[in-house]
Amino acid sequence: MADVLILMTKAKTLGLLDGRQHASGFWAEEFVVPYERLVAEGHNVDIATVGGEAPTPDEGSLTPYVVGLTRPQGSPDHDEENVEHYKQVIGSLPALKAPADVAGITRERLAGYAGVYISGGHGAMEDMPHSSDLARVVRWILELGLPLAVVCHGQSALLPLRDSSGRWPLEGYRMTAFSHDEEMVTDMAGQLPFVLQMELERLGARYEKAEAIWDSHVVEDRNLITGQNPYSSSALADAFAKRLATAQ
């Protein structure tokens, strides 16, 4: 049994280019599926956000119709039962109501974790790229060589990282994240503050994606494990769990 840290967005909205504040938050599937896999493997899970504020689930991720839109074509339809399960899990966890503040995480405490998972959701684009506390914690994760799993828009937390020479420390890494093609079929197309895929590529990531939008896609490069979209949560959890098992 080992300790694992989950980093989550605290944002309830995402500011768009037209000035609107779009209701947002974390994506339920991207939290619940990896969380339950980690617990099933016997890990103790801590949760932290910027400021220690309780994270808010994106209402879309708790709406069967919307969840169905993020499934690959031809995949089984268990949207209603999945959403009910997500609601039950989210509502039952005290740690989600009182998460730790990332500002209080020391390098020594971080070194005691077996690995770290950064959960996704469009809300991550609002707070994660702009938090110096979070950037410091993620930089320590890389320096300590901890397994780091990230899904969908959680990769926003990787954008502000810089090494001592001012370069992005993940330059040349193979990775995935929510694709531009997938962004273009959301109701925020053309209004996002940035396009995650393009920002990662601009910084030097070797970006990869599934052949079809919404298909599961996971990429592993060194200690970094990335998932493309909500449907990738299960495969990402599998890969992360295996990495944790081999690291112990």
Side-chain angles (χ1 to χ4, degrees):
M1 182 180 294
D3 292 344
V4 177
L5 177 64
I6 296 182
L7 300 172
M8 302 180 68
T9 178
K10 70 170 184 179
K12 299 177 177 63
T13 61
L14 174 62
L16 302 182
L17 294 180
D18 61 6
R20 288 182 296 139
Q21 289 293 318
H22 190 280
S24 191
F26 71 88
W27 200 259
E29 180 178 2
E30 294 171 8
F31 168 73
V32 173
V33 172
Y35 170 82
E36 290 195 311
R37 178 61 189 271
L38 292 169
V39 172
E41 294 290 325
H43 298 299
N44 295 313
V45 177
D46 292 337
I47 296 171
T49 66
V50 175
E53 296 184 26
T56 300
D58 189 312
E59 281 303 314
S61 71
L62 297 176
T63 305
Y65 171 74
V66 176
V67 171
L69 295 177
T70 66
R71 279 190 294 102
Q73 289 187 355
S75 60
D77 180 355
H78 302 298
D79 302 328
E80 291 192 10
E81 60 192 85
N82 285 342
V83 163
E84 287 306 310
H85 180 66
Y86 301 155
K87 289 179 179 178
Q88 186 277 323
V89 173
I90 291 169
S92 69
L93 291 180
L96 281 177
K97 298 178 176 63
D101 185 344
V102 295
I105 299 174
T106 65
R107 184 185 176 100
E108 291 71 26
R109 176 65 187 102
L110 194 61
Y113 287 108
V116 180
Y117 169 59
I118 304 178
S119 188
H122 272 105
M125 300 176 70
E126 180 73 16
D127 61 341
M128 287 188 167
H130 309 295
S131 169
S132 59
D133 291 326
L134 182 62
R136 181 177 64 253
V137 168
V138 177
R139 186 174 67 250
W140 285 341
I141 294 167
L142 298 179
E143 291 174 356
L144 290 165
L146 297 176
L148 175 61
V150 197
V151 74
C152 202
H153 292 91
Q155 286 86 323
S156 299
L158 307 179
L159 299 180
L161 301 177
R162 296 295 184 274
D163 62 20
S164 59
S165 64
R167 299 184 68 88
W168 193 51
L170 296 171
E171 184 177 349
Y173 274 64
R174 295 171 49 247
M175 66 181 71
T176 188
F178 203 68
S179 70
H180 185 208
D181 293 338
E182 288 164 330
E183 296 287 18
M184 291 304 294
V185 297
T186 71
D187 58 359
M188 292 174 281
Q191 293 296 328
L192 292 170
F194 60 88
V195 177
L196 185 53
Q197 174 187 338
M198 293 182 174
E199 288 301 300
L200 293 170
E201 290 175 326
R202 179 182 65 82
L203 288 169
R206 294 165 57 196
Y207 179 84
E208 302 176 10
K209 63 182 179 180
E211 291 186 7
I213 62 172
W214 309 124
D215 278 359
S216 175
H217 189 65
V218 171
V219 176
E220 299 186 51
D221 190 344
R222 285 156 274 190
N223 287 330
L224 182 66
I225 308 167
T226 52
Q228 180 175 327
N229 48 35
Y231 202 69
S232 304
S233 299
S234 180
L236 181 78
D238 288 344
F240 189 39
K242 290 176 183 176
R243 185 66 63 88
L244 293 174
T246 59
Q248 294 182 48

